[in-house]
Amino acid sequence: MKKADQFIALGSFMPHLPKQWKTRMEQMIAALQKDGLQAEKWDSYSAGSPVPKQELLDLTFYLLQTGKAYRLTEEVLIHHSALDYSIAKLKEATGGAFNLKQAKDVLGVSRKYLIPFLELLDELKITVRTDEQRKWTES
């Protein structure tokens, strides 16, 4: 048995998309991936979709729990590939530390996306904020 938040499952259980909604959900995930760091509100990806609300909640939980997506804000998710790409781009351009302006110039996104992204990096312990600088952690 294994436990993930409030859920308990058999040790052999592997999370997966339900067969009935798999194609539609994969389309939503592909659209999220395509939008990169400047993703829309998560609800907008399901607009007009026949997928039931509970299934959409389960999809959100699935993406977050499997590391396929990260919560940028309460309403916005980003695909893991957008996170990985942005980290690599920022590391390549900055060296050991960087400030807000440098990150904005490198990533080319507005503060609406930049601040939550940098806070996510801090939360994931990829960076550490000291005053106006963020330093890359060694891991």
Side-chain angles (χ1 to χ4, degrees), residues 50-87:
V51 179
K53 189 167 184 78
Q54 183 57 49
E55 295 292 335
L56 293 172
L57 291 173
D58 290 346
L59 174 60
T60 305
F61 185 76
Y62 165 79
L63 291 172
L64 295 172
Q65 288 298 309
T66 59
K68 295 181 187 293
Y70 293 89
R71 191 173 294 283
L72 198 60
T73 67
E74 189 62 35
E75 299 175 324
V76 177
L77 301 181
I78 59 168
H79 195 270
H80 76 89
S81 63
L83 177 73
D84 295 344
Y85 173 77
S86 299
I87 289 170

Side-chain angles (χ1 to χ4, degrees), residues 57-126:
L57 291 173
D58 290 346
L59 174 60
T60 305
F61 185 76
Y62 165 79
L63 291 172
L64 295 172
Q65 288 298 309
T66 59
K68 295 181 187 293
Y70 293 89
R71 191 173 294 283
L72 198 60
T73 67
E74 189 62 35
E75 299 175 324
V76 177
L77 301 181
I78 59 168
H79 195 270
H80 76 89
S81 63
L83 177 73
D84 295 344
Y85 173 77
S86 299
I87 289 170
K89 188 174 179 181
L90 198 52
K91 273 187 176 182
E92 183 180 312
T94 59
F98 60 93
N99 61 31
L100 193 65
K101 183 180 179 343
Q102 289 171 312
K104 187 176 188 318
D105 292 344
V106 169
L107 297 175
V109 296
S110 68
R111 290 177 63 95
K112 172 184 173 182
Y113 294 100
L114 183 65
I115 300 299
F117 173 73
L118 296 176
E119 289 173 353
L120 176 62
L121 294 183
D122 294 343
E123 182 183 325
L124 296 173
K125 299 187 183 345
I126 295 169

